[in-house]
Amino acid sequence: MSSLKIIALPAFNDNYIWLLQQGNQAVCVDTGQAEPVLNYLREHNLTLAQIWVTHPHGDHTLGIAELQQHFPDCQVFGATDIQAANQRVGEGDVIGWQGLTAQVWHTAGHTAHHLSYVLQDGEQAHIFCGDTLFSAGCGRVFPDGCVDWLHHSLQRINTQPENTLLYPAHEYTAANLRFAAHIEADNADVQAALRETVAPSLPVSLAHEQRVNPFLRVHLPEVRVRVQQLAGQALVDDEAVFATLRELKNQF
C-alpha cells in the first residue's frame, strides 16, 4: 500500500499548492506563497526536497525564494522560463523522488513553456497540470501561448486512463460548471456536479472531466452545434470548435 500523501494547501484567493509527502520528505508544486508550505512542513517535521514549477506566473512562483532560504538544498525543477529553477527540465525528462518517478510533459498553450508533471504511484497516475486544465474548464491563453497548443495539450491528457487523477492549480470549478451548463444545458452530469460541488473540489478524475468538461468534449456533435449557434458561424473541425469555445468562455 502506498505511503504517499497529497495535500492541497490553499494560497491567495483560489490557488492550490500541491504538497506531496512521503517519509520525512516533501515535494510541492507551484509555490505562489511560502507561508502555507512552511507551516505544514513545520507541523509535520518535514524537509522540502523538491519544488516542481509548471509556469512562471507569480501566483505559482513568488514563494520559491523564501522556501529556498529555509531549505537551501531544495531542487527546483522548471522550464527555461523559470528563473528560480536550478534543475532545467522539459518534455520527456524524468524526476526521481523517494522511489517514485514523475515524467515531465510539455503542455503548452496557457504559456509557451508550460509543464505538467505525471507522477506514477503503482497503478495510479497523478497529473499536476497547473493552469492547463481546470475541473470543467481550461486555462486562458496568454500572449506567449497559443490556443491550438492548448487544445493539443488537453487532448494528450484526455488519452490517459480514466482513473487518472488531475491536480489543477486553481479552485475554479463552480464558475466553470456554470459555463459548462451554458454550453450543454441537457448534460445531466454537469447539472449533478453543479448541485454537488463544494470546495475543495480537487483532485478530480479524468473520467469525471470527460463527462463535464466542454473543452474535452469538442468532438461531440451536441457541443459543436451549440458552439456554432453561439458563435453564429460554421466551424470546420475540433480545433476551430475549441478555439471558439475558449473565446466564449473569455466573454462569459
Side-chain angles (χ1 to χ4, degrees):
M1 182 176 179
S2 174
S3 61
L4 176 68
K5 295 181 181 179
I6 302 177
I7 301 97
L9 301 178
F12 301 111
N13 293 324
D14 51 34
N15 280 68
Y16 288 124
I17 299 167
W18 294 104
L19 187 139
L20 290 62
Q21 176 183 346
Q22 187 163 246
N24 64 354
Q25 288 192 6
V27 169
C28 56
V29 185
D30 284 350
T31 52
Q33 288 182 308
E35 184 178 4
V37 178
L38 290 172
N39 289 342
Y40 188 91
L41 296 174
R42 289 167 182 152
E43 181 180 353
H44 296 87
N45 195 27
L46 299 173
T47 296
L48 184 63
Q50 297 178 2
I51 297 171
W52 303 346
V53 186
T54 63
H55 65 290
H57 293 163
D59 59 331
H60 298 253
T61 60
L62 287 175
I64 295 174
E66 185 175 350
L67 290 171
Q68 287 178 303
Q69 290 175 5
H70 288 270
F71 300 95
D73 294 330
C74 178
Q75 296 177 296
V76 180
F77 293 86
T80 55
D81 58 349
I82 306 301
Q83 292 185 355
N86 52 36
Q87 302 289 327
R88 302 290 185 187
V89 289
E91 171 64 37
D93 286 332
V94 175
I95 300 170
W97 172 71
Q98 291 285 81
L100 301 174
T101 58
Q103 186 175 23
V104 180
W105 283 4
H106 180 209
T107 49
H110 177 63
T111 62
H113 302 288
H114 192 294
L115 301 179
S116 295
Y117 298 88
V118 184
L119 180 72
Q120 196 68 40
D121 183 24
E123 297 298 315
Q124 182 63 61
H126 308 268
I127 301 182
F128 300 91
C129 49
D131 287 1
T132 294
L133 179 144
F134 302 127
S135 186
C138 69
R140 291 178 178 270
V141 177
F142 276 71
D144 66 327
C146 171
V147 70
D148 288 343
W149 299 346
L150 186 60
H151 177 248
H152 175 79
S153 295
L154 263 66
Q155 288 305 303
R156 184 178 187 181
I157 293 171
N158 204 22
T159 64
Q160 299 309 294
E162 65 177 16
N163 71 330
T164 298
L165 292 176
L166 306 171
Y167 297 80
H170 290 276
E171 182 59 65
Y172 291 162
T173 306
N176 286 340
L177 283 167
R178 289 192 289 272
F179 177 71
H182 176 61
I183 299 300
E184 290 189 89
D186 296 329
N187 185 324
D189 292 307
V190 170
Q191 297 298 335
L194 270 171
R195 293 190 301 270
E196 299 165 5
T197 295
V198 294
S201 64
L202 306 170
V204 66
S205 73
L206 178 57
H208 174 78
E209 288 306 297
Q210 289 170 336
R211 295 192 298 269
V212 304
N213 192 325
F215 294 95
L216 297 183
R217 296 169 59 82
V218 295
H219 61 289
L220 297 175
E222 57 267 34
V223 173
R224 176 176 290 197
V225 168
R226 175 61 170 161
V227 172
Q228 289 181 145
Q229 177 189 42
L230 291 170
Q233 61 179 332
L235 300 169
V236 297
D237 54 26
D238 292 352
E239 288 77 10
V241 176
F242 183 92
T244 305
L245 185 66
R246 182 57 264 182
E247 185 57 33
L248 290 168
K249 179 63 168 65
N250 292 344
Q251 300 167 9
F252 184 70

